[in-house]
Amino acid sequence: MENPNTNTRPRRTLSQNKVLSANEVGKIPPHSTDVEEAVLGAMLLGQEAVNDAIDILHVDSFYKIENQKIFNAILQLFGSSETIDILSVTERLRKNGDLDLVGGPGAVARLTNRVASTAHIEYHARIIAEKYILRSLIGISSEVIKNSYDETKDVFEVLSEAEEGLFKITEGNLKKSYSGVKELVSEAIEEIEKASKNKDGVSGVPSGFTDLDRLTSGWQKSDMIVLAARPGMGKTAFVLSLARNTAVQFNQGVAIFSLEMSSVQLTKRLMSMETGLASEKLKKGFTSEKDWKQLHENITNLSEAPIYIDDTPALSIFELRAKCRRLKMQHDIQLVIIDYLQLMTAGLKSGNREQEISMISRSIKEIAKELSVPIIALSQLSRSVETRGGDKRPMLSDLRESGAIEQDADMVCFIYRPEYYGLIEDENGMPTEGTGEIIVAKHRNGSLDNVRLRFIKELIRFDNLDAFAEVDYGTKFTQNNEFDQESGNSGTYTVGSKMNDDLPGGSILNDDIPF
């Protein structure tokens, strides 16, 4: 180990200069020169050691500038598929003008004396990587402390820079190793056997919508699903409906990140779906004893459902990753819902908005793979949908702000309700009121199709198309959608044919309805 009091200490890289504050308090940044030299010596002895170490280390992983130069020479030889040994590395250092800096040919040759074999190269390389992570954390922490004392700095800029630094450390150092096909085949067979036991053919996380689950086999692990629609089409209503189905019917944990609505607002929407009490009643408050009784009798299942709602505004991708990890560890969540993607921030300066959305989209996919859970990210569609003629069905090119969303997504679905545009019949002459479609426009691991669902306006809820008439909610809806307050008996609701009549203004296009 070098003596910190001598004047012959090696020059440091930019990343190492950030940790000089550690020396100011009498501490040397974490490093192990002996291990660094042992790893370099092993790489000079065999190609297999080079392959093992290069996958773990990069130039800045080394503390000593001499070792950085030697490793860089090895990288250059490796990249050009040249032989790596004492002579070739020495010659490369000479061409780079770094041979004298590292101590000459003798210093390179002496590295091989530091290691007896290449057997433990991977273990030693990971020690170097861990020391580098510690040095990086010290550097970021020092910078954060310095900026925090600087009152001319904007506090949110300081926070953003801290997030950016930590994010870069994570992305640059935590790598997943490969798996052999033998192990993967065994894992795949286990999943196939598990799926074969499901009579409904659902191998992933069920949505509770029969036709949709038949098409997707449930939301699949590690998938990023983009659900897009125009404002007011029913994005939040749909994901809350499926979240309720997944948690209440199948007892699988669901995490909802709502950047637009508060957690209490979403809970009221869920309560409306579960109890059959109209959303407007819960919003305005009701006085009927029957309504209170209906609420308390039907709310138990929802109260005990594994649904976790986070309404942090302007959520950054860094915060999302941390929160998802925590929820997965503590509550074993099986599905993540983000409402909605365009309201998120990258948490760092990343150029224009399109580049920022691209980074967010890419990171969401990475989180889905890391935690092995499907993530449903809601997204807005551009106004180009409104300018088209015909039935105004959405298409992939309508995704707003970034083509990366389409590229990263394993599945892209659109919500389409013809009555939103005043279309009362479809192309086959069938009435469209009270119905909606989930258009599967991209499906990386399956087929494309349109799934028709029923939209229950009073409850702001989607349901299976054949789920009608007899639902024991204790409330009766007549054909005119009026509440029957006279009957105290457990009744039913019937979805009538005039679904727009009791909306404020008489139109589903009214912007006051919080879809």
Side-chain angles (χ1 to χ4, degrees):
M1 182 178 296
E2 302 84 10
N3 185 348
N5 296 319
T6 67
N7 296 322
T8 59
R9 298 184 64 194
R11 215 162 22 92
R12 287 171 173 73
T13 62
L14 179 61
S15 62
Q16 291 166 346
N17 284 334
K18 290 182 178 180
V19 299
L20 291 180
S21 59
N23 289 336
E24 294 173 3
V25 294
K27 293 184 178 180
I28 299 176
H31 70 284
S32 178
T33 303
D34 291 341
V35 176
E36 289 183 10
E37 293 177 353
V39 167
L40 291 173
M43 296 176 76
L44 294 174
L45 290 176
Q47 182 67 34
E48 186 177 344
V50 175
N51 296 335
D52 290 340
I54 279 181
D55 191 45
I56 301 171
L57 302 174
H58 46 81
V59 172
D60 285 342
S61 299
F62 293 85
Y63 180 74
K64 286 184 66 175
I65 187 67
E66 295 93 328
N67 294 339
Q68 289 184 10
K69 296 299 183 181
I70 295 171
F71 185 77
N72 184 56
I74 292 173
L75 280 181
Q76 292 175 347
L77 293 170
F78 182 83
S80 57
S81 300
E82 298 180 41
T83 301
I84 297 173
D85 55 25
I86 295 174
L87 295 177
S88 62
V89 171
T90 300
E91 183 60 28
R92 177 62 65 168
L93 285 167
R94 182 178 286 110
K95 288 182 179 179
N96 293 343
D98 295 327
L99 187 58
D100 290 338
L101 175 63
V102 302
V108 177
R110 282 193 294 272
L111 290 172
T112 57
N113 298 329
R114 304 301 300 270
V115 59
S117 72
T118 62
H120 306 295
I121 180 72
E122 186 174 346
Y123 174 75
H124 292 150
R126 294 197 182 280
I127 292 176
I128 297 174
E130 290 172 6
K131 300 292 185 184
Y132 170 72
I133 292 173
L134 290 174
R135 293 199 303 273
S136 300
L137 289 173
I138 292 171
I140 291 171
S141 301
S142 301
E143 198 71 18
V144 170
I145 292 171
K146 185 182 77 173
N147 291 336
S148 298
Y149 278 112
D150 187 353
E151 296 186 359
T152 64
K153 282 268 191 179
D154 180 77
V155 63
F156 295 105
E157 183 181 350
V158 173
L159 182 61
S160 177
E161 290 176 355
E163 289 179 351
E164 178 183 359
L166 290 172
F167 186 78
K168 285 182 177 179
I169 292 175
T170 302
E171 293 300 297
N173 294 279
L174 300 182
K175 300 178 181 178
K176 184 180 183 300
S177 61
Y178 61 84
S179 300
V181 71
K182 182 177 181 180
E183 292 79 11
L184 295 174
V185 167
S186 299
E187 185 177 341
I189 289 176
E190 288 180 10
E191 290 189 2
I192 294 171
E193 290 177 346
K194 184 178 179 180
S196 68
K197 297 176 182 178
N198 297 328
K199 296 180 180 179
D200 53 9
V202 176
S203 58
V205 178
S207 70
F209 300 117
T210 307
D211 292 338
L212 185 60
D213 284 339
R214 188 178 295 118
L215 176 65
T216 63
S217 298
W219 310 119
Q220 299 299 308
K221 293 179 180 179
S222 303
D223 273 6
M224 173 185 171
I225 302 103
V226 172
L227 180 70
R230 288 293 294 153
M233 192 65 77
K235 297 187 296 296
T236 303
F238 176 74
V239 293
L240 283 181
S241 298
L242 73 88
R244 178 263 167 202
N245 295 343
T246 301
V248 174
Q249 295 181 10
F250 302 97
N251 196 37
Q252 298 198 27
V254 180
I256 302 174
F257 293 91
S258 176
L259 289 83
E260 190 172 34
M261 299 177 64
S262 73
S263 55
V264 175
Q265 286 176 313
L266 293 181
T267 302
K268 288 180 180 178
R269 295 270 291 269
L270 288 167
M271 291 169 65
S272 174
M273 296 175 185
E274 188 67 19
T275 64
L277 290 164
S279 180
E280 283 297 306
K281 275 197 168 187
L282 297 182
K283 181 179 178 181
K284 297 177 181 178
F286 45 75
T287 56
S288 166
E289 183 178 340
K290 176 193 169 189
D291 290 338
W292 280 108
K293 181 180 179 182
Q294 181 177 330
L295 175 69
H296 290 294
E297 285 180 351
N298 294 281
I299 204 64
T300 303
N301 289 338
L302 179 63
S303 299
E304 298 175 353
I307 299 177
Y308 309 94
I309 302 175
D310 186 308
D311 60 0
T312 303
L315 186 71
S316 73
I317 195 66
F318 182 84
E319 292 172 318
L320 176 69
R321 186 187 298 268
K323 290 172 182 286
C324 285
R325 283 173 176 166
R326 193 178 305 120
L327 284 165
K328 181 65 177 178
M329 180 177 63
Q330 295 178 351
H331 303 289
D332 193 27
I333 56 170
Q334 300 298 311
L335 175 66
V336 174
I337 296 171
I338 303 170
D339 185 10
Y340 60 91
L341 190 149
Q342 278 84 5
L343 290 179
M344 292 190 67
T345 64
L348 50 89
K349 299 174 182 177
S350 56
N352 59 40
R353 180 58 178 166
E354 183 174 344
Q355 292 173 330
E356 187 175 24
I357 291 294
S358 297
M359 178 182 175
I360 292 170
S361 173
R362 193 161 51 248
S363 299
I364 289 174
K365 175 59 183 175
E366 290 170 358
I367 295 170
K369 286 187 66 177
E370 177 188 338
L371 300 183
S372 190
V373 298
I375 297 182
I376 300 177
L378 275 59
S379 178
Q380 293 282 24
L381 291 179
S382 67
R383 291 188 177 91
S384 60
V385 180
E386 313 292 341
T387 61
R388 283 202 297 268
D391 57 9
K392 303 183 186 298
R393 284 178 173 269
M395 58 184 67
L396 289 172
S397 59
D398 296 323
L399 285 171
R400 186 174 167 186
E401 289 188 309
S402 177
I405 298 176
E406 176 189 345
Q407 178 181 327
D408 295 329
D410 297 281
M411 186 183 300
V412 177
C413 302
F414 298 117
I415 299 178
Y416 174 68
R417 292 191 298 114
E419 62 178 339
Y420 180 94
Y421 298 109
L423 303 174
I424 61 174
E425 292 183 349
D426 62 17
E427 63 274 11
N428 298 319
M430 298 295 292
T432 61
E433 290 181 302
T435 65
E437 290 183 36
I438 304 300
I439 302 172
V440 180
K442 176 185 177 181
H443 193 184
R444 185 167 285 160
N445 301 306
S447 58
L448 308 179
D449 205 349
N450 299 343
V451 177
R452 294 189 69 201
L453 298 174
R454 184 174 299 282
F455 178 67
I456 306 168
K457 177 189 44 142
E458 290 82 4
L459 308 181
I460 317 180
R461 166 183 174 174
F462 283 87
D463 209 335
N464 288 302
L465 194 62
D466 56 357
F468 64 94
E470 303 295 330
V471 179
D472 187 11
Y473 278 143
T475 302
K476 181 180 290 184
F477 290 96
T478 67
Q479 287 292 329
N480 293 322
N481 296 325
E482 298 293 338
F483 292 96
D484 182 359
Q485 299 289 355
E486 298 177 359
S487 173
N489 299 325
S490 177
T492 64
Y493 72 81
T494 302
V495 178
S497 60
K498 302 294 183 182
M499 296 299 291
N500 292 340
D501 290 353
D502 64 344
L503 279 177
S507 171
I508 200 68
L509 292 174
N510 191 295
D511 291 335
D512 293 334
I513 302 302
F515 291 120

